[in-house]
């Protein structure tokens, strides 16, 4: 009996996660899976982790919807956290808000299962430093890349019993940082 239930669970999860499954079919499979897991007493298996923004687009959102939410978060972050210090107030640091305005940040879907964030038009004096004759990414640009990776990974998931929603990269024209 346990083998039959585990096969059903695997098949339902595969159907739910498949990109060509329709919304109605996916919802029906999710309800069936929830009932089956409730009966088996195993509502959470494995070591799943979900990003802090995963719930915003829903469990079964496609990658264009996720990419659009990432674009919206970046645009909002650039506006909301732009430096606006007043006399007598402490200056708050934010990698996204403190980035120069000429920097362009693009969110692309280069192929199935992948989201790329590209940082373009980075001013040389802001984005790179020369140490021991070698040009390297500046700490400010590194902080910006880490902030963008954190926003992107907020929509991802992972675990031993579930695949990642997508593979994400933060790209700078001369460097590629993979998270």
């Amino acid at each position: 009996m346990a083998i039959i239930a585990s096969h059903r669970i695997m098949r339902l999860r595969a159907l739910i996660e498949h990109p060509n499954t329709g919304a109605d079919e996916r919802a029906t499979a999710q309800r069936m899976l929830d009932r089956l897991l409730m009966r088996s007493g195993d509502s959470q298996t494995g070591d799943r982790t979900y990003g802090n923004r995963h719930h915003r687009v829903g469990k079964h959102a496609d990658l264009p919807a996720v990419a659009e939410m990432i674009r919206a978060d970046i645009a909002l972050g650039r506006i909301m956290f732009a430096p606006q210090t007043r006399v007598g107030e402490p200056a708050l640091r934010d990698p996204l808000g403190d980035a120069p305005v000429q920097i362009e940040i693009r969110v692309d879907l280069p192929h199935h299962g992948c989201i790329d964030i590209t940082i373009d038009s980075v001013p040389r004096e802001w984005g790179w430093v020369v140490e021991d004759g070698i040009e390297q990414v500046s700490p400010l640009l590194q902080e910006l890349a880490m902030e963008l990776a954190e926003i992107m990974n907020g929509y991802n998931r992972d675990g031993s019993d579930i695949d990642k929603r997508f593979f994400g990269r933060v790209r700078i024209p001369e460097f590629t940082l993979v998270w």
Side-chain angles (χ1 to χ4, degrees):
M1 184 69 169
I3 294 173
I4 294 171
S6 67
H7 284 294
R8 283 185 184 163
I9 290 170
M10 287 185 338
R11 288 180 181 158
L12 286 169
R13 284 188 177 147
L15 182 64
I16 290 167
E17 298 298 326
H18 196 278
N20 292 334
T21 303
D24 292 337
E25 189 176 10
R26 181 175 284 124
T28 302
Q30 184 65 50
R31 286 192 303 272
M32 290 172 68
L33 178 63
D34 292 342
R35 280 195 308 267
L36 189 59
L37 289 174
M38 194 174 296
R39 276 190 299 179
S40 69
D42 184 17
S43 60
Q44 184 70 18
T45 59
D47 56 348
R48 292 185 186 186
T49 57
Y50 294 91
N52 59 351
R53 293 177 169 99
H54 190 272
H55 66 281
R56 287 186 184 172
V57 290
K59 240 191 234 188
H60 308 296
D62 58 352
L63 282 188
V66 173
E68 191 57 40
M69 288 296 290
I70 293 171
R71 285 184 197 103
D73 285 355
I74 291 170
L76 183 65
R78 289 193 85 173
I79 293 168
M80 291 294 293
F81 300 113
Q84 300 174 354
T85 56
R86 297 184 190 126
V87 178
E89 288 184 0
L92 300 175
R93 288 202 30 165
D94 182 73
L96 197 54
D98 294 342
V101 229
Q102 65 263 37
I103 289 181
E104 297 173 12
I105 301 171
R106 287 190 331 266
V107 179
D108 300 313
L109 301 166
H111 48 80
H112 177 72
C114 182
I115 294 180
D116 281 358
I117 297 179
T118 306
I119 305 171
D120 273 331
S121 304
V122 179
R124 282 298 235 203
E125 64 278 358
W126 185 85
W128 283 267
V129 294
V130 178
E131 291 181 11
D132 300 326
I134 300 171
E135 193 173 46
Q136 298 178 4
V137 173
S138 73
L140 296 172
L141 185 54
Q142 182 68 34
E143 283 180 15
L144 175 62
M146 296 292 283
E147 179 75 16
L148 293 171
E150 186 177 319
I151 290 170
M152 179 175 49
N153 283 331
Y155 291 97
N156 217 343
R157 64 175 179 240
D158 198 11
S160 61
D161 64 332
I162 190 171
D163 289 333
K164 285 187 171 214
R165 178 181 263 176
F166 59 87
F167 175 76
R169 293 184 293 194
V170 175
R171 299 177 62 238
I172 304 168
E174 290 138 17
F175 301 89
T176 300
L177 308 168
V178 180
W179 282 276

